[in-house]
Each structure stands twice: as C-alpha cells, then as structure tokens.
Amino acid sequence: ADGVVTVTLDRPERKNALTHREWGRLQEVFGEVAERPEDRVLVVTGAGGDFCSGADVSAFGDDERSSL
C-alpha cells in the first residue's frame, strides 16, 4: 500500500529459517519489486517474534545442490 511492500517470513517453528527454495523465492520477490516503479520500500519481517535465523541447514541433505 502507498508504495510499501511487506514480505513476512512465516516459519515461526523454525525461527523463520529459510530453505534453499525459500531463498530463491525471496530473491524473485526482490527482483519483482525492483522492477515496479510504484514500489518504493520493501519491508521484510518475520512471524512469531523472530526475524530470521538464517539458512535452514536441516534441509541441506535434501537439496540437490548440497552435493556441489
């Protein structure tokens, strides 16, 4: 609204840690917002009282890139 885009990370059970796929989606959202001149501000927040604890390393074994 009014040029402000809010993205809420919604995995409070994992302190909003992001999997490889979620990092990619977040990057896509950043690109989409950057291309829209009416979007002036991007706010990233986390659900459940935590912002983001970083990468969800528990998923690394399931990720096809983990073997690289």
Side-chain angles (χ1 to χ4, degrees):
D2 297 322
V4 178
V5 176
T6 302
V7 174
T8 302
L9 307 176
D10 192 15
R11 293 184 69 214
E13 71 283 358
R14 301 290 298 168
K15 297 191 180 283
N16 299 315
L18 299 174
T19 64
H20 177 71
R21 179 169 292 160
E22 290 161 338
W23 280 109
R25 180 62 186 128
L26 191 57
Q27 184 177 5
E28 289 174 14
V29 169
F30 289 167
E32 292 168 9
V33 170
E35 292 177 6
R36 291 192 304 252
E38 65 273 15
D39 295 340
R40 299 173 39 103
V41 176
L42 174 65
V43 177
V44 181
T45 186
D50 295 304
F51 171 60
C52 179
S53 61
D56 185 350
V57 296
S58 68
F60 280 9
D62 298 333
D63 188 326
E64 66 276 0
R65 291 184 53 171
S66 67
S67 62
L68 298 178

